[in-house]
Amino acid sequence: MYLNQTIPFGNSFLDDFKTEIGYGSWYTYENFGANIRLGGIFRRLEMEKVRLLNFGSQVTVSLGYYKPKFFISAEGGFDKAIVTHFKHSASYRSSVFIDGWYNPSTGGNLHAGITAGLLAKKTDYSLAIGRIVAQDWQTNPLIPFYAKFSIAKRW
C-alpha cells in the first residue's frame, strides 16, 4: 500500500496538486527487482480561466538494480484522467463553456524514465527524470519532460 502526495512550487500552495493511493507488488531475484503499482488519483489544476478537478488511475512498472544503500531503475507507466470537473471563469461561462463533470475521459499520458536513489536508515532519497507523451502517441504536453525529487519515509 502506498500514498503519494505531490505539491508543486507555484505561487499558491494548493492551486495544483496530485494525490495517489494504491497498491504495489515487488518481485526480486538477487539484486534485481521489478515493481508494479496500481493506483487511484485525485488531481487539481487551477489557471486563470478554469479550475479542473479529476479522478483517474495510474499503472507503473519499474525494473531495476537494488543494493542496500542505492538503486537505479527504469520505469514506464500510464496515467489516465477518467472524469474531470471544469469550473470556468465568469468570462468563459458567459460565452460558450458550461461548468460540470465531463465524461468520457479527458485524456491520458504515457511516461518513461530513469530513477536513481540513495537509501538511508528510514529515509529514501530519489531523483527521477523522463519523458511524457499523450495517449495518442503524437501529442506532447507543453513541457514533455519530467524531473521529480522525492523523500520517502519508511516504517
Side-chain angles (χ1 to χ4, degrees):
M1 190 80 168
Y2 69 91
L3 173 68
N4 181 1
Q5 178 65 52
T6 303
I7 300 172
F9 294 98
N11 291 334
S12 300
F13 182 61
L14 288 177
D15 62 350
D16 301 336
F17 67 84
K18 174 181 163 184
T19 301
E20 179 183 356
I21 187 165
Y23 176 77
S25 185
W26 272 99
Y27 305 95
T28 59
Y29 176 75
E30 295 182 3
N31 290 330
F32 296 94
N35 182 346
I36 300 171
R37 294 187 314 268
L38 303 170
I41 297 172
F42 175 66
R43 233 182 317 242
R44 181 179 193 274
L45 173 66
E46 186 169 347
M47 298 169 277
E48 185 178 316
K49 302 289 184 188
V50 66
R51 184 206 66 207
L52 307 170
L53 300 173
N54 77 46
F55 292 94
S57 61
Q58 180 169 327
V59 60
T60 302
V61 175
S62 61
L63 304 168
Y65 182 74
Y66 297 85
K67 294 293 274 182
K69 299 274 185 193
F70 74 93
F71 72 91
I72 187 162
S73 66
E75 99 174 6
F78 183 62
D79 172 340
K80 179 78 170 174
I82 296 170
V83 62
T84 303
H85 184 271
F86 289 75
K87 183 176 181 183
H88 296 92
S89 67
S91 63
Y92 267 44
R93 253 193 318 272
S94 65
S95 60
V96 176
F97 301 101
I98 299 171
D99 290 346
W101 291 98
Y102 284 76
N103 191 13
S105 69
T106 52
N109 292 309
L110 296 138
H111 68 274
I114 296 174
T115 303
L118 298 173
L119 311 174
K121 290 179 184 176
K122 290 280 185 181
T123 306
D124 300 342
Y125 304 93
S126 64
L127 177 64
I129 57 172
R131 176 111 164 74
I132 302 170
V133 67
Q135 68 185 20
D136 65 4
W137 292 92
Q138 298 173 14
T139 309
N140 287 321
L142 179 62
I143 302 172
F145 303 100
Y146 67 88
K148 297 187 285 187
F149 175 71
S150 300
I151 300 172
K153 282 299 241 188
R154 284 181 275 141
W155 62 85

